[in-house]
Amino acid sequence: MEKQDIKFNKNEDSMKLLISRMEQKLSKLALGGGQSRIDKHHAKGKLTARERIELLLDKDSPRQEIGAFVAEDMYQEYGGCPSGGVVIKIGYVAGKQCIIVANDATVKAGAWFPITAKKNLRAQEIAMENRLPIIYLVDSAGVFLPMQDEIFPDKEHFGRIFRNNARMSSMGIVQIAAVMGSCVAGGAYLPIMSDESLIVDKTGSIFLAGSYLVKAAIGESIDNETLGGATTHTSISGVCDYKSKDDEDCLKTIRGLMDKIGGFEKAGFDRKEPKMPALNQEEIYGLFPKDRTKSYEVRDIISRIVDDSEFEEYKADYGKTIVTGYARIDGWAIGIVANQRKIVKSKKEGVQFGGVIYSDSADKAARFIMNCNQKKIPLVFLKDVTGFMVGSKSEHGGIIKDGAKLVSAMANSVVPKFTIVMGNSYGAGDYAMCGKAYDPRLIVGWPTAEIAVMGGTQAAKVLVQIEVASLKKKGETITPAKEKEMFDKIKNKYDSQINPYYAAARLWIDAIIDPLDTRKVISMGIEAANHAPITERYNVGAIQT
């Protein structure tokens, strides 16, 4: 027991340290382009992007930021781009759940980098999938010109945003845009393609070309305010619907507009009275191992996440490296698919390694996913997977066929999916457990998450073997010291790429969260998904048998 307590305490200390580092990073990101730029922003009578969002959201209501760590350690040659120069949050305005997109003009004047476009498109994707109202708080200088070739012309670049504006209008998704600073060139279409638009007097401006470009292009001399300020666009052009005296007035108007929005047809996911877990949630910190190679009982994690710690397990004695079953989170009915990291024994497979998907566990998970679709129950994937089992026994037993059945069942799911990357997410296991490529409504990682084709050690061993064999063919002699140097170099590169911040910077995951926020993320996600009725039928015939 003493040994167990020591291990628990070490795990707890490690997790709390990772969370503390995450919170420090978030505090720094909250400053955007830095305090001096915030001060200049305030001197113009403007609020920052985060201040605008906080003032807009209902006080003390839940909220979830999307992509806070986007662009982490990227674009260093240009001085960086904290959070991609845009802040996105899911929250509540006048009691209505919505998603807010706010340009951060303290970061390169709100200019769009390639990752900025990707992040904005992710916000629109969330709005479209869940039929959530979307509010744009515009304050941007437009495309970051030194990187225009990586943001302007392609399918998933800047222009896709306006295509989505049009698609959302046709879908009946409410779009409100407030021009609270610059809104130039192609970006000028965004507020006008929204349902209603607001503009702040003296600080907001909209034009296809600013005064300098107008002078250069046609020789006309005109100031920006006369060209495209609030008075021009509310009394002359009719481009905007509301003129606001300042940021606070603008945000108050938006709250009033959101307050009048009518009800919506719901998907009909089941919800009862929410209950907290009966077991202490904070014990997750000590139960989840510091050493990612160590085993643990995933049911211990589940029982500290779900309502009243109640979990109805499906096929408990079959396919033991994946745990499946029904539970509730914040009252919402859910189906859980979780990787089991304990070494277990199976009558069919014998000893099974934890975190590995075997044929029987793939078969069980596929059948469970089908059941959840039949019952209209959202799916939650608790991911800590090292991949599918390899070797002659597995290959001869048809692991590829069984794995394909699981991937097909998951990919064809019509109920919403939510993915929590708790630990490892390697190889094809990442796909089978609903990785980003398989359209989870939200995908988040704990600070312990690792996402890659394989772990750094395994990758280094494989690549060193290949490199050594190649060098030997050329007649070169490889000393143990040289081989170790090669191994360390490869492993260090992989290790730097599998940490959760690398994934979050590229928006492979939507957020890195404290494990204690897992319930909130899932509950808000299902509430959002409940805005979108399911119109497709689950195609069982598409699943290989």
Side-chain angles (χ1 to χ4, degrees), residues 227 258 367:
L227 181 66
M258 288 293 295
R367 290 173 183 270

Side-chain angles (χ1 to χ4, degrees), residues 503-522:
R506 290 151 183 82
L507 214 54
W508 300 345
I509 54 178
D510 293 316
I512 301 172
I513 65 167
D514 183 328
L516 301 188
D517 285 334
T518 301
R519 284 172 53 85
K520 180 193 75 173
V521 169
I522 294 170

Side-chain angles (χ1 to χ4, degrees), residues 14 44 47 60 73 87 140-141 153 198 281 289 291 328 332 363 373 392 429 461 471 493 498:
S14 175
K44 298 176 183 177
L47 299 172
D60 298 325
D73 293 328
V87 182
S140 172
L198 306 86
Q281 290 185 84
D291 184 343
R328 290 186 183 274
W332 295 104
D363 174 69
N373 275 269
S392 59
K461 286 179 179 178
L471 292 172
K493 180 182 178 182
I498 66 175

